[in-house]
């Protein structure tokens, strides 16, 4: 039967196993089950459920089973959506107690379409496969006996949902000097003997100011913010990333050195692994030349500069080595540029760097 038709003979059901991943395989193989999957969040996850149910109009029943997260309560929120609907003014699920139960990319009308067509069975907490097999069979029999509701399809049988557009941002920014941002500098290291992260804050003339021990990067960053040691958002982001790296190194036995990529013990620091041509083609599309020039000047801290395409960067701008390292990381790691291991960006022209992106 074509996808757009919804006769009772073609009716199928879907299964949501909440956080019980082990149930997905056995239940997905049952007769009449169109799809089975987990649900972890009361917002993006539920949005994906609604979109999937709208796309496959043969699905007339939904069995919700498995263990619901006591923290995020995605299952409770999904049940509340089917029972009480969505507030059209703000997308909040009526009666939901989950974490942030707000739907942004589906409308109240679209959820009503699904609620009117799909019968929901609340079997939260049930994880016995044989019991759930019987629940699926009973639900399938009911939906196949019940006449289908009139179709509300649009545009030749396809749902009218349009994925919202995202504004594109470039992964580059600018930090104030470290001394201006935190009144000195911070050193982070890993103490493997005691399984802790050590953070020490010094003044610009190398006098000790603060010391912090911890095992979780997030908690340490919050402690720095609470104490007022850092206020600049860019430096908070930098320290958060470094503390996360240190925590990862501590947990997985990797070698940690501040400002360098993580690596296995015994492997010396070296150039970033060169990506293959296939890997580079799967990355984000290279920016247009005009956007690329803006990205370069922002990274080098010279937003107002107008670059000549064929003059080396070092002859056009007075930039320190730290800025050039930041630009190298952006070009290689974020944009997938194929730079030689001994590349000297100060001697490279903007045209040459852009060519490394586009091939």
């Amino acid at each position: 039967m074509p996808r757009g038709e919804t006769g009772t003979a073609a009716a199928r059901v879907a299964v949501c196993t909440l956080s019980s991943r082990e149930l997905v395989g056995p239940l997905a193989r049952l007769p009449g089950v169109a799809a089975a999957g987990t649900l972890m969040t009361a917002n993006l996850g539920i949005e994906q459920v609604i979109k999937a149910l709208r796309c496959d109009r043969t699905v007339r029943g939904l069995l919700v089973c498995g263990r619901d997260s006591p923290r995020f309560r995605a299952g409770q929120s999904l049940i509340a959506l089917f029972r009480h609907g969505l507030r059209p003014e703000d997308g909040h699920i009526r009666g939901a107690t989950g974490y942030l139960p707000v739907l942004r990319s589906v409308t109240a009308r679209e959820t009503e379409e699904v609620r009117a067509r799909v019968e929901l069975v609340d079997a939260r907490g049930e994880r016995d496969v044989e019991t759930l097999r019987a629940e699926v069979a009973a639900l399938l029999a009911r939906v196949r006996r019940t006449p289908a509701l009139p179709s509300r399809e649009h545009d030749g049988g396809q749902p009218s949902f349009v994925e919202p557009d995202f504004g594109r941002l470039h992964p580059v920014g600018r930090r104030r000097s470290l001394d201006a941002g935190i009144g000195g500098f911070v050193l982070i290291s890993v103490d493997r003997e005691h399984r802790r992260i050590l953070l020490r804050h010094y003044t610009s003339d190398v006098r000790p100011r603060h010391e912090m021990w911890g095992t979780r990067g997030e908690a340490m960053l919050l402690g720095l913010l609470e104490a007022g040691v850092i206020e600049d958002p860019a430096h908070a982001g930098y320290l958060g990333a470094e503390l996360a790296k240190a925590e990862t190194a501590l947990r997985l036995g990797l070698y940690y050195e501040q400002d360098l990529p993580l690596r296995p013990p015994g492997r010396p620091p070296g150039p970033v692994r060169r990506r293959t041509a296939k890997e580079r083609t799967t990355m984000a599309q290279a920016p247009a030349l005009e956007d690329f020039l803006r990205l370069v000047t922002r990274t080098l801290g010279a937003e107002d500069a107008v670059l000549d395409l064929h003059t080396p960067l070092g002859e056009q701008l007075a930039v320190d080595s730290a800025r050039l390292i930041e630009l190298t990381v952006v070009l290689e790691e974020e944009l997938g540029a194929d730079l030689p291991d001994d590349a000297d960006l100060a001697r490279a022209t903007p045209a040459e760097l852009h060519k490394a992106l586009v091939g």
Side-chain angles (χ1 to χ4, degrees), residues 58-334:
T58 66
V59 175
R60 301 271 308 287
L62 175 64
L63 175 69
V64 181
C65 59
R67 180 180 181 273
D68 197 5
S69 167
R71 178 179 181 184
F72 296 106
R73 298 180 61 82
Q76 189 279 334
S77 298
L78 179 61
I79 300 299
L81 176 65
F82 271 78
R83 289 177 177 171
H84 310 297
L86 200 65
R87 288 202 309 239
E89 63 271 16
D90 58 6
H92 194 283
I93 299 173
R94 293 188 177 100
T97 60
Y99 179 72
L100 293 178
V102 179
L103 309 187
R104 299 298 189 192
S105 66
V106 293
T107 66
R109 182 187 61 79
E110 290 163 342
T111 59
E112 287 304 304
E113 176 185 326
V114 171
R115 291 177 67 211
R117 172 168 48 88
V118 178
E119 177 185 343
L120 182 137
V121 172
D122 182 4
R124 283 175 292 170
E126 183 60 66
R127 286 183 281 181
D128 180 73
V129 174
E130 292 306 314
T131 300
L132 293 172
R133 184 195 303 271
E135 291 279 6
V136 168
L139 176 59
L140 186 64
R142 283 200 304 277
V143 299
R144 286 184 171 175
R145 288 196 303 267
T146 305
L149 293 174
S151 172
R152 299 189 202 178
E153 295 172 341
H154 304 273
D155 302 326
Q158 296 300 318
S160 60
F161 171 77
V162 178
E163 189 73 30
D165 292 330
F166 289 93
R168 185 179 178 187
L169 301 176
H170 291 296
V172 62
R174 185 179 179 187
R175 292 200 307 264
R176 294 182 294 163
S177 69
L178 199 60
D179 184 58
I182 60 175
F185 61 95
V186 164
L187 293 182
I188 300 171
S189 60
V190 171
D191 180 356
R192 297 196 179 279
E193 180 181 356
H194 299 94
R195 296 192 58 78
R196 295 184 297 183
I197 303 166
L198 170 60
L199 180 147
R200 283 176 171 160
H201 177 209
Y202 298 85
T203 64
S204 55
D205 56 357
V206 202
R207 286 186 293 109
R209 291 199 66 188
H210 304 99
E211 182 178 271
M212 178 186 290
W213 296 88
T215 57
R216 292 180 54 245
E218 180 183 3
M220 295 180 71
L221 177 63
L222 292 174
L224 293 172
L225 292 168
E226 182 71 20
V229 174
I230 51 175
E231 296 179 354
D232 178 43
H235 281 100
Y238 162 74
L239 290 174
E242 286 298 320
L243 289 167
K245 284 168 49 185
E247 179 183 345
T248 302
L250 188 64
R251 292 178 181 274
L252 302 183
L254 302 176
Y255 181 84
Y256 172 79
E257 186 172 344
Q258 193 168 340
D259 295 326
L260 292 179
L262 294 176
R263 62 181 188 275
R267 179 181 296 176
V272 177
R273 180 181 70 83
R274 188 71 53 76
R275 290 185 172 89
T276 65
K278 182 179 180 180
E279 287 174 320
R280 292 196 300 274
T281 60
T282 62
M283 299 188 71
Q285 184 177 4
L289 180 58
E290 183 178 350
D291 291 336
F292 173 73
L293 294 177
R294 281 199 295 267
L295 183 147
V296 169
T297 54
R298 286 185 60 198
T299 306
L300 296 178
E303 290 90 337
D304 298 329
V306 178
L307 297 178
D308 180 79
L309 287 177
H310 305 292
T311 302
L313 287 174
E315 297 180 15
Q316 300 188 65
L317 302 172
V319 293
D320 57 31
S321 58
R323 290 290 188 186
L324 291 175
I325 291 173
E326 287 188 21
L327 180 59
T328 302
V329 171
V330 168
L331 293 177
E332 289 188 330
E333 291 298 288
E334 304 293 349

Side-chain angles (χ1 to χ4, degrees), residues 39-70:
L39 176 64
M40 302 298 181
T41 61
N43 36 66
L44 297 178
I46 292 181
E47 287 177 357
Q48 293 304 314
V49 170
I50 296 301
K51 293 175 188 177
L53 293 175
R54 291 194 70 239
C55 286
D56 190 344
R57 297 186 60 83
T58 66
V59 175
R60 301 271 308 287
L62 175 64
L63 175 69
V64 181
C65 59
R67 180 180 181 273
D68 197 5
S69 167

